[in-house]
Amino acid sequence: MKNHDEPSLFSDEFQSENQTEEIKVGSDAEDTVFRDLASYPDATQEEVMRRYYFIEWMRKELAGGWTQKNLDPLLDRAANELQLKAPKWRTLADWWKIYSQSGFKLISLVPKKTAGNRSLKVRNEMVFFDKALKRYLVPERPSIAAVYRYYSDVIRIENQNIVGNKIEALSYNGFYNRIKKLPAYDVKVARHGKYLADMEFNNINAHYPASRVLEKVEIDHTPLDLILLDDKHHFPIGRPYLTLLIDQFSRCIVGFYLGFKEPSYFSVMKALLNAIKPKNYISEQFPNIEKEWCCEGKMESLVVDNGAEFWSKSLEQACLELGIHIQYNPVRKPWLKPLVERTFRTINSKLTVSIPGKTFSNILQREEYDSKKDAVMHFSTFNEILHKWIIDVYHHEADSRKRSIPYLKWQEGINYLPPISYSPEDEKQLVIILGLKAKRQHRRGGFIYIDFVMIARYLLIIERCILQLLKY
């Protein structure tokens, strides 16, 4: 079997340690015992069968010689049907050559042994690489250069005790390339933690995208980077909170609530009512808005995070009555609710960025800019601007990848499967169902409701008026 002594034929293929086709039991050639395939390791047997399957499949399908022109078009189809990794055309042709010249003996497809003691050297060197790798995959995050110095030092110390063949260390480039070939996600987990790894690699295996309008609606709150003025007294009243609902299928903003109370069930209730009910107030309240806000109807699932306002009994009971499922996302997994988070960033970066009275998340970025002093926009004005931006701009702009336009995607969705809408009678019942549930004590004069937040706000306005008068 002369062909078995050609180690270069399969230099790019499967390599195995200490494999030969014969075992010598004596000093004479007559004492040579030939091995059968079963005597090889399982990995070698699997590789032999892979080669055999590809050869037999190609023999049935091939029309012509074993050339690149004939083999290349068939390799992908063979790999799909056999569910095995396809070789290169040249490698497959070499397999066929050795197999046919051996008289079609299966043992001829055994991968050839690598000449010399290279596998032994590599195995010894890998022990030290594994030690260096353990030092690299730690939360302290040492640099590759620092780990390579450790790797080189350990091998140099070991070589001092070796007489004869020394262990050859990888060059820095070889060490660097080997590190870079490690699974990026596993490296990120070891050096930065699973949370940041999932964030970077968008591990969204629990996320199923919506297939129809209002199947999944995301909701969340954020304080806007802007200070607004009171419409009546013209004093700064602080940063407004925006509660936003966005449809996952169309990416349309289906409703929102803008106010100065910190996020609570009240904010959620007002935003839900705005999302579900028809937007008939737009044409009367904001005549400058050109297009239509057509988003309305009952959502199937409300995707929320773990904020206290989303765990309230009022929200749970209201959604049960309306037939809305509440989907709670796991903690610290914002990619399961990506659209509303991204829309908040868009509003703060595109809409509020140039309005006087802008605030800064980082106090160092503010420098000498006084947000309260420079605030000039009243709440009602910004409310109109926000409506106009959502209806006339956002809904009619393509996303960053130019894949779809929210308004057109919504129309496509409602033409396929329109959502459930409410009659005027149902809308009245809707307000009652979503109403804030609270207990009040009945007194002689009736029920008394005190809004302490509004009282505090007006006291603040009075205090500022007094301070202004004292200046004069």
Side-chain angles (χ1 to χ4, degrees):
M1 296 178 65
K2 182 178 180 181
N3 291 328
H4 288 201
D5 299 326
E6 301 176 7
S8 63
L9 286 173
F10 298 97
S11 58
D12 62 334
E13 282 296 311
F14 183 92
Q15 301 291 345
S16 183
E17 298 177 5
N18 301 326
Q19 295 175 8
T20 62
E21 286 73 29
E22 55 187 31
I23 303 175
K24 292 187 178 180
V25 296
S27 59
D28 300 330
E30 295 178 357
D31 295 329
T32 299
V33 178
F34 290 90
R35 299 177 62 174
D36 64 344
L37 185 60
S39 66
Y40 287 94
D42 291 341
T44 303
Q45 296 180 43
E46 292 175 4
E47 174 62 13
V48 170
M49 296 310 299
R50 180 177 80 98
R51 298 179 179 195
Y52 172 77
Y53 291 143
F54 271 103
I55 289 173
E56 289 301 313
W57 189 95
M58 205 62 67
R59 288 178 66 182
K60 296 176 183 178
E61 299 293 333
L62 190 62
W66 293 65
T67 62
Q68 182 178 9
K69 180 180 178 181
N70 296 330
L71 292 175
D72 268 347
L74 297 174
L75 282 174
D76 288 339
R77 186 154 64 91
N80 289 333
E81 292 186 13
L82 297 173
Q83 294 295 304
L84 295 171
K85 180 183 177 181
K88 298 179 181 179
W89 78 269
R90 172 69 69 184
T91 303
L92 183 56
D94 288 340
W95 291 350
W96 165 248
K97 179 181 177 182
I98 290 182
Y99 183 60
S100 59
Q101 290 179 354
S102 69
F104 304 103
K105 293 180 179 179
L106 194 61
I107 198 72
S108 67
L109 296 177
V110 171
K112 300 303 176 289
K113 181 181 67 174
T114 303
N117 61 350
R118 177 179 178 276
S119 61
L120 181 60
K121 290 182 179 179
V122 170
R123 186 166 65 251
N124 288 339
E125 181 274 325
M126 282 298 295
V127 172
F128 299 98
F129 177 80
D130 290 342
K131 289 183 179 179
L133 188 60
K134 290 180 180 178
R135 180 163 290 210
Y136 177 72
L137 299 177
V138 292
E140 289 76 15
R141 301 192 289 276
S143 65
I144 296 179
V147 175
Y148 178 73
R149 285 195 296 271
Y150 166 78
Y151 162 82
S152 302
D153 291 344
V154 172
I155 290 181
R156 185 167 56 254
I157 293 171
E158 182 68 20
N159 282 335
Q160 292 175 358
N161 302 321
I162 296 177
V163 178
N165 294 331
K166 305 290 185 178
I167 299 172
E168 296 181 6
L170 289 172
S171 66
Y172 177 75
N173 287 337
F175 185 87
Y176 180 89
N177 291 335
R178 189 180 286 181
I179 289 288
K180 287 301 180 183
K181 287 180 181 178
L182 297 172
Y185 177 79
D186 295 338
V187 172
K188 190 74 175 181
V189 170
R191 288 169 64 88
H192 298 269
K194 190 174 186 305
Y195 172 69
L196 291 179
D198 287 345
M199 287 287 289
E200 180 173 334
F201 290 89
N202 281 338
N203 188 2
I204 54 173
N205 52 345
H207 176 70
Y208 300 94
S211 59
R212 54 189 177 274
V213 163
L214 295 183
E215 180 186 1
K216 292 183 179 181
V217 174
E218 300 175 12
I219 182 172
D220 206 351
H221 322 272
T222 190
L224 296 179
D225 294 338
L226 183 68
I227 290 181
L228 299 178
L229 303 180
D230 181 79
D231 287 314
K232 183 177 180 181
H233 301 284
H234 314 295
F235 276 96
I237 51 178
R239 297 170 62 184
Y241 285 93
L242 176 63
T243 302
L244 199 70
L245 292 100
I246 186 166
D247 174 48
Q248 278 193 2
F249 176 79
S250 65
R251 302 188 177 220
C252 279
I253 296 174
V254 296
F256 74 89
Y257 172 71
L258 189 68
F260 291 92
K261 290 185 177 182
E262 290 191 0
S264 62
Y265 173 71
F266 179 81
S267 311
V268 177
M269 174 194 70
K270 298 293 285 186
L272 278 172
L273 284 172
N274 182 249
I276 295 174
K277 295 171 65 176
K279 314 298 191 294
N280 300 326
Y281 68 93
I282 299 295
S283 57
E284 301 176 2
Q285 192 172 343
F286 309 115
N288 293 328
I289 293 179
E290 300 174 0
K291 297 181 173 62
E292 178 187 6
W293 195 0
C294 54
C295 302
E296 63 173 281
K298 181 182 79 70
M299 66 271 317
E300 299 176 32
S301 293
L302 190 65
V303 184
V304 304
D305 56 25
N306 285 270
E309 65 277 9
F310 298 123
W311 285 92
S312 67
K313 279 191 173 182
S314 297
L315 180 62
E316 180 184 4
Q317 294 175 6
C319 287
L320 281 173
E321 287 191 64
L322 296 172
I324 298 174
H325 170 68
I326 303 178
Q327 176 183 320
Y328 294 97
N329 281 342
V331 178
R332 300 184 74 184
K333 293 187 182 292
W335 57 87
L336 298 179
K337 189 164 56 69
L339 298 181
V340 67
E341 303 282 354
R342 192 179 306 141
T343 306
F344 284 148
R345 290 196 298 269
T346 302
I347 291 173
N348 277 326
S349 63
K350 291 186 177 181
L351 181 61
T352 66
V353 66
S354 59
I355 299 176
K358 174 191 173 183
T359 61
F360 296 88
S361 300
N362 187 343
I363 191 171
L364 298 178
Q365 295 177 346
R366 187 177 63 185
E367 298 175 352
E368 296 184 2
Y369 183 80
D370 190 338
S371 302
K372 293 182 179 180
K373 181 179 178 182
D374 294 330
V376 296
M377 184 170 290
H378 291 87
F379 173 79
S380 59
T381 305
F382 180 75
N383 187 34
E384 180 176 358
I385 290 175
L386 181 59
H387 275 86
K388 187 171 181 63
W389 181 82
I390 291 173
I391 300 169
D392 288 350
V393 180
Y394 173 80
H395 281 172
H396 294 270
E397 279 188 345
D399 59 16
S400 58
R401 297 183 183 180
K402 309 298 181 185
R403 294 172 301 183
S404 63
I405 296 175
Y407 175 80
L408 297 180
K409 194 72 174 177
W410 178 272
Q411 295 299 325
E412 174 190 332
I414 61 175
N415 288 335
Y416 172 72
L417 184 65
I420 298 174
S421 58
Y422 290 89
S423 64
E425 293 76 15
D426 292 333
E427 289 179 18
K428 295 178 181 178
Q429 186 68 18
L430 182 67
V431 175
I432 298 174
I433 293 174
L434 286 173
L436 185 62
K437 299 172 177 62
K439 291 184 178 180
R440 292 288 181 265
Q441 185 175 358
H442 184 252
R443 299 177 183 273
R444 181 173 297 177
F447 292 102
I448 300 175
Y449 173 74
I450 302 175
D451 191 338
F452 293 101
V453 176
M454 289 302 298
I455 292 175
R457 184 173 296 125
Y458 280 113
L459 287 175
L460 180 62
I461 292 173
I462 293 170
E463 179 185 356
R464 288 174 179 169
C465 288
I466 295 173
L467 290 175
Q468 288 290 338
L469 291 174
L470 290 174
K471 289 182 180 180
Y472 298 104

